[in-house]
Amino acid sequence: MSFSRIYDQAAARKGGEVALRSLLPRVAEPGELQAMADDRYLSEITRCVFKAGFVWRVIENKWPGFEAAFQGFVPLYWQQVPPEVLEDLAQDERIVRNMQKIRTVPENARMIVDAAREHGSFGAFLDCWPSDDQVGLLLWLKRNGARLGGNTAQYFLRRVGWDGFILSPDVVAGLRREELLDATPGTRKALVQAQQAFTAWHRETGLPFSHLSRILSFSVG
């Protein structure tokens, strides 16, 4: 179906077109992903990992402490960090002391370093991955990173400005309402169905994938 009806529904729910557009997520400008340093990518990945299944506000309030405790998230250091450093972090009151999540930092640092060796930087790697293959990128992040399944990687991509959808509960409800998704959320089939829907809407409207995703969610809740 045409996306125009969904757009109109979302605008009506949010108080008009101007109000709706003010709520849409920022998409990275050309070259912005490449300009972002690799330590910032490790920082944002870690932030999303710690937010998963936790109260987001707590993580945001403690984030300056995370930055200090993890010494700026330099991937080359964290990819080979001594085990005792991780053990000390598990006692560090500046952060949320979840050892399983702390251990993701070296693993995700190695992922970033490996991608940077091949592409020049992790940002360059992200920049060359097309938005009409978000499924492929999500599967790559899940396979090569740590605790980047579910929606965690989707929220990470949104935070850094990579143009993609998020399968939030409202987006899932919207896709089901339009009879474009019948698979279980979190499965590869669901990701493929969502990709097909958003790619078709992108071709129809020219709108960024992240805007389409947010507008669909606003048409529901």
Side-chain angles (χ1 to χ4, degrees):
M1 61 154 288
S2 172
F3 194 76
S4 59
R5 180 170 61 83
I6 296 172
Y7 184 94
D8 290 343
Q9 288 174 335
R13 284 179 174 272
K14 294 301 175 182
E17 187 172 354
V18 173
L20 173 63
R21 289 188 173 275
S22 72
L23 298 171
L24 299 180
R26 188 187 65 82
V27 179
E29 298 289 337
E32 186 177 342
L33 292 174
Q34 293 193 45
M36 185 170 167
D38 285 351
D39 62 278
R40 294 302 86 204
Y41 284 110
L42 182 56
S43 172
E44 291 298 344
I45 287 173
T46 305
R47 190 194 304 247
C48 291
V49 166
F50 271 86
K51 280 184 174 181
F54 203 74
V55 179
W56 288 18
R57 183 180 66 257
V58 173
I59 301 301
E60 289 295 338
N61 289 341
K62 293 179 76 71
W63 199 250
F66 274 83
E67 289 284 349
F70 285 95
Q71 304 173 53
F73 291 100
V74 178
L76 285 172
Y77 169 74
W78 287 102
Q79 69 163 342
Q80 53 187 5
V81 67
E84 56 267 24
V85 173
L86 300 182
E87 293 168 5
D88 289 343
L89 284 168
Q91 308 300 322
D92 195 323
E93 295 184 355
R94 293 174 294 179
I95 69 171
V96 173
R97 292 165 289 175
N98 182 316
M99 192 57 174
Q100 288 184 325
K101 293 188 175 184
I102 290 169
R103 288 195 179 108
T104 67
V105 176
E107 295 181 61
N108 288 325
R110 284 190 287 273
M111 174 188 72
I112 288 172
V113 170
D114 288 345
R117 285 197 183 108
E118 182 175 352
H119 296 272
S121 70
F122 191 72
F125 161 75
L126 288 181
D127 200 34
C128 70
W129 203 296
S131 292
D132 60 5
D133 184 29
Q134 183 176 346
V135 175
L137 179 54
L138 293 174
L139 293 174
W140 186 94
L141 290 167
K142 182 179 180 179
R143 182 172 64 252
N144 291 280
R147 297 180 80 100
L148 292 178
N151 286 4
T152 301
Q154 296 170 38
Y155 283 109
F156 156 68
L157 293 173
R158 176 66 58 82
R159 283 190 62 88
V160 300
W162 193 88
D163 186 26
F165 59 82
I166 292 178
L167 286 184
S168 66
D170 283 344
V171 169
V172 169
L175 290 170
R176 284 181 168 163
R177 182 193 64 202
E178 304 303 325
E179 299 182 349
L180 296 171
L181 187 148
D182 59 16
T184 302
T187 63
R188 180 170 183 164
K189 182 178 179 181
L191 289 173
V192 170
Q193 289 179 341
Q195 182 79 76
Q196 291 171 341
F198 285 114
T199 298
W201 285 330
H202 173 71
R203 290 171 179 165
E204 173 196 340
T205 66
L207 291 173
F209 286 75
S210 59
H211 289 191
L212 293 166
S213 175
R214 181 69 62 82
I215 291 167
L216 179 63
S217 73
F218 287 154
S219 76
V220 174

